Amino acid sequence: MLKKEIQLKKRDLYLDRLIAFKDTELVKVVTGIRRCGKSSLMKLMVQHLKENGVDSGQIIQMNFESIEFHKMTATDIYQYIKMRLPKNKKAYLFFDEIQRIEDWQDAINSFRVDFDCDIYVTGSNAYLLSSEYATYLAGRCVEIKMLPLSFKEFLDFHGYEIKEKQSPAGENCKRIYDAEGDNYDPMELFEAYMKFGGMPGIADIGLDTDKVFTLLDGIYSTVVMRDVLEREKRRGQRQITDAELLRKIIMFLADNIGNNTSITSIGNTLVNEKLIDTDKRNGKPAVQTIQAYVGALLESYIFYEIKRFDIKGKAYLRTLGKYYIVDVGLRNYLLGFRDVDTGHCIENIVYFELLRRGYDVAIGKIDEKEVDFIATNVTEKIYFQVTESMDEPSTRERELTPLRKIRDNYEKVVIAGKCANPVTQDGIKIVKLVDFLLEK
């Protein structure tokens, strides 16, 4: 009996981006950490095509996770598609996990050149990175970078509905309702999001700690073993061979999200734990080795690196960037739950929310102070401070001071997990975290 298709949840943020490039010559390449929803996005796109007049015969799908296609060569794929092309109509070609096929890029390029077709590709984050496919598809592809669920998507996937009501004092406030009509304060559900994270598969098993951590263990193991260690072997590289060292670096980065971190600081910790030797020439940690391991983790999209920007000097700084983990649920799986890290976890969540909204993000430096995020796109720039609470006067002053130092007229915002009085102060907007995450 064939696997029954389940009801797909909408991921309009990414689907709209695919639709925007529909029927263009560009190859649409979807990247992101394993199990973040890339395959489901392809199915949503197929569904969109059928709902808008495309015949089933025009759509050809190949999922290379299936053993049906495992032993194919690039030439085999070319012939498979050629035999199934619709007559006198555009073909829509979908290739899931195509990186499993050697020289896959040659087949994709041939489809572009030879056929009237629209091409969509997904693959494990560790393979279909711009550095690898750009050589073959430079200027001919667009990358859709997919992330785990946002807080709004998390609520939708778990069957919650957001409604806005007016409080007795006349203020608009949001309540969240489940299928039975029970209602919750948004912070109650946000705490669940902070605990379990946003991997879409969690919606299928429910918010049960043991089940969720079993799922996250599977994702983590697959990313580390298949997308990092095995991939390096296939590329013929010998730098990343020590699974225990890789695990220690992962734990270090997960433990230090939001902290200024350098390759040297990682190396010093590993030397102290006798996991890595020092360079005999200078007595320092072997920087190249650590850089290779960290680079592989960035390529796997389990961690993201963010650079520092000197606001006055208008230049990026080479030292002391930060790392954020793609999903706080994965971090909790690795390290356990620790209330002392709430501020950094909130910062982590805001960082990825800004990426979802299409911003380029950097850390800001102004004199000796730091601005958590500078978010820019083609039309705007916004400075953000992120804090667990703005209720204490000392905390309020600490968060506002760096933003007051910035002399330009771009928007300045403080996002606070807790804030009894979210107002605009000195031209700086103060907003509650859940309001920011739930805004349209």
Side-chain angles (χ1 to χ4, degrees):
M1 180 175 167
L2 293 176
K3 184 178 178 180
K4 184 179 179 181
E5 288 290 335
I6 61 172
Q7 182 69 33
L8 293 171
K9 290 283 189 179
K10 292 290 187 182
R11 300 291 300 272
D12 288 341
L13 175 67
Y14 306 101
L15 181 59
D16 289 346
R17 291 175 185 173
L18 280 184
I19 293 170
F21 290 99
K22 173 180 169 289
D23 292 332
T24 66
E25 289 188 6
L26 295 171
V27 177
K28 278 64 71 176
V29 183
V30 182
T31 61
I33 191 169
R34 280 185 179 271
R35 308 282 289 278
C36 72
K38 301 185 296 294
S39 298
S40 293
L41 179 62
M42 293 294 98
K43 293 175 183 176
L44 286 168
M45 188 63 193
V46 168
Q47 186 175 294
H48 170 81
L49 292 174
K50 291 179 178 178
E51 290 171 353
N52 287 271
V54 176
D55 295 333
S56 295
Q58 293 175 254
I59 300 169
I60 306 173
Q61 303 176 68
M62 300 180 74
N63 185 339
F64 294 95
E65 293 276 82
S66 169
I67 199 168
E68 180 182 1
F69 305 117
H70 265 201
K71 293 186 178 180
M72 278 190 166
T73 64
T75 302
D76 293 335
I77 296 168
Y78 183 87
Q79 293 301 327
Y80 180 93
I81 295 296
K82 186 176 180 180
M83 289 174 59
R84 287 162 176 78
L85 287 173
K87 293 183 179 179
N88 303 318
K89 288 185 177 181
K90 180 184 285 287
Y92 293 85
L93 310 181
F94 291 84
F95 303 100
D96 215 350
E97 302 289 350
I98 198 173
Q99 82 287 331
R100 288 176 170 272
I101 305 302
E102 191 172 351
D103 299 326
W104 61 268
Q105 63 281 342
D106 294 336
I108 295 297
N109 233 357
S110 295
F111 298 146
R112 277 189 53 261
V113 172
D114 297 346
F115 306 142
D116 179 16
C117 62
D118 196 18
I119 304 172
Y120 301 81
V121 173
T122 78
S124 300
N125 45 287
Y127 296 91
L128 290 184
L129 303 169
S130 52
S131 59
E132 295 185 12
Y133 62 66
T135 305
Y136 306 98
L137 302 175
R140 305 182 184 96
C141 66
V142 58
E143 184 179 10
I144 310 296
K145 298 177 180 180
M146 202 164 191
L147 292 167
L149 303 176
S150 67
F151 181 45
K152 283 177 73 173
E153 289 178 317
F154 174 86
L155 294 175
D156 179 53
F157 268 53
H158 289 274
Y160 293 99
E161 184 180 1
I162 306 163
K163 293 183 180 179
E164 197 159 313
K165 293 199 169 189
Q166 201 169 63
S167 71
E171 297 178 351
N172 287 333
C173 60
K174 293 181 176 69
R175 299 291 294 178
I176 298 175
Y177 291 79
D178 63 18
E180 285 73 43
D182 294 328
N183 71 93
Y184 305 84
D185 182 276
M187 277 304 292
E188 293 181 77
L189 276 303
F190 178 74
E191 288 170 5
Y193 181 64
M194 278 268 286
K195 178 178 180 179
F196 296 115
M199 285 297 179
I202 294 173
D204 297 329
I205 59 176
L207 301 178
D208 175 274
T209 302
D210 290 340
K211 290 180 180 178
V212 170
F213 275 23
T214 299
L215 180 142
L216 293 175
D217 176 69
I219 294 172
Y220 169 77
S221 299
T222 304
V223 169
V224 170
M225 297 308 297
R226 187 184 295 181
D227 290 352
V228 178
L229 294 174
E230 287 186 14
R231 172 175 177 256
E232 292 300 309
K233 291 178 186 176
R234 291 178 189 176
R235 295 170 79 189
Q237 297 188 10
R238 296 288 180 266
Q239 284 182 296
I240 301 172
T241 57
D242 189 333
E244 178 61 15
L245 176 58
L246 181 63
R247 188 186 73 83
K248 280 288 185 179
I249 293 175
I250 290 170
M251 297 296 280
F252 180 93
L253 293 177
D255 198 24
N256 286 276
I257 58 168
N259 290 330
N260 291 323
T261 304
S262 67
I263 296 299
T264 301
S265 65
I266 299 171
N268 289 335
T269 299
L270 296 172
V271 166
N272 291 338
E273 295 187 12
K274 296 182 170 44
L275 278 167
I276 192 169
D277 296 325
T278 56
D279 191 317
K280 293 180 180 179
R281 292 169 295 180
N282 55 27
K284 295 181 179 180
V287 171
Q288 285 185 330
T289 300
I290 301 164
Q291 188 70 67
Y293 277 75
V294 172
L297 292 171
L298 296 176
E299 286 185 348
S300 74
Y301 287 141
I302 192 170
F303 290 100
Y304 284 58
E305 184 181 20
I306 180 171
K307 301 293 188 182
R308 299 172 79 219
F309 184 80
D310 187 335
I311 295 171
K312 283 189 174 180
K314 300 187 185 306
Y316 282 96
L317 303 171
R318 293 185 178 181
T319 57
L320 293 178
K322 294 183 179 182
Y323 295 90
Y324 292 103
I325 193 165
V326 71
D327 182 72
V328 289
L330 277 171
R331 183 178 189 266
N332 291 332
Y333 156 75
L334 290 167
L335 302 177
F337 303 106
R338 302 185 304 188
D339 291 341
V340 293
D341 292 338
T342 301
H344 280 151
C345 288
I346 289 173
E347 200 177 296
N348 199 104
I349 287 168
V350 170
Y351 169 68
F352 284 102
E353 183 64 23
L354 292 172
L355 293 187
R356 285 186 193 93
R357 297 182 186 189
Y359 291 105
D360 292 320
V361 187
I363 306 161
K365 177 183 176 295
I366 180 83
D367 297 331
E368 299 306 312
K369 300 292 184 182
E370 186 172 281
V371 176
D372 289 326
F373 301 124
I374 308 171
T376 57
N377 61 22
V378 175
T379 60
E380 59 184 340
K381 177 191 289 187
I382 308 174
Y383 300 101
F384 288 97
Q385 289 288 78
V386 183
T387 182
E388 187 177 351
S389 173
M390 279 287 277
D391 289 341
E392 292 293 328
S394 59
T395 306
R396 201 175 190 91
E397 189 63 24
R398 184 191 70 211
E399 300 299 334
L400 292 173
T401 296
L403 296 177
R404 290 189 183 120
K405 284 177 167 284
I406 302 171
R407 299 303 179 191
D408 62 37
N409 294 318
Y410 292 110
E411 187 176 3
K412 302 168 183 68
V413 180
V414 178
I415 298 173
K418 299 175 184 175
C419 185
N421 190 25
V423 296
T424 298
Q425 186 173 333
D426 299 333
I428 300 166
K429 187 190 298 182
I430 302 170
V431 300
K432 290 182 178 179
L433 174 65
V434 290
D435 290 340
F436 170 75
L437 296 175
L438 296 178
E439 69 186 18
K440 294 181 181 179

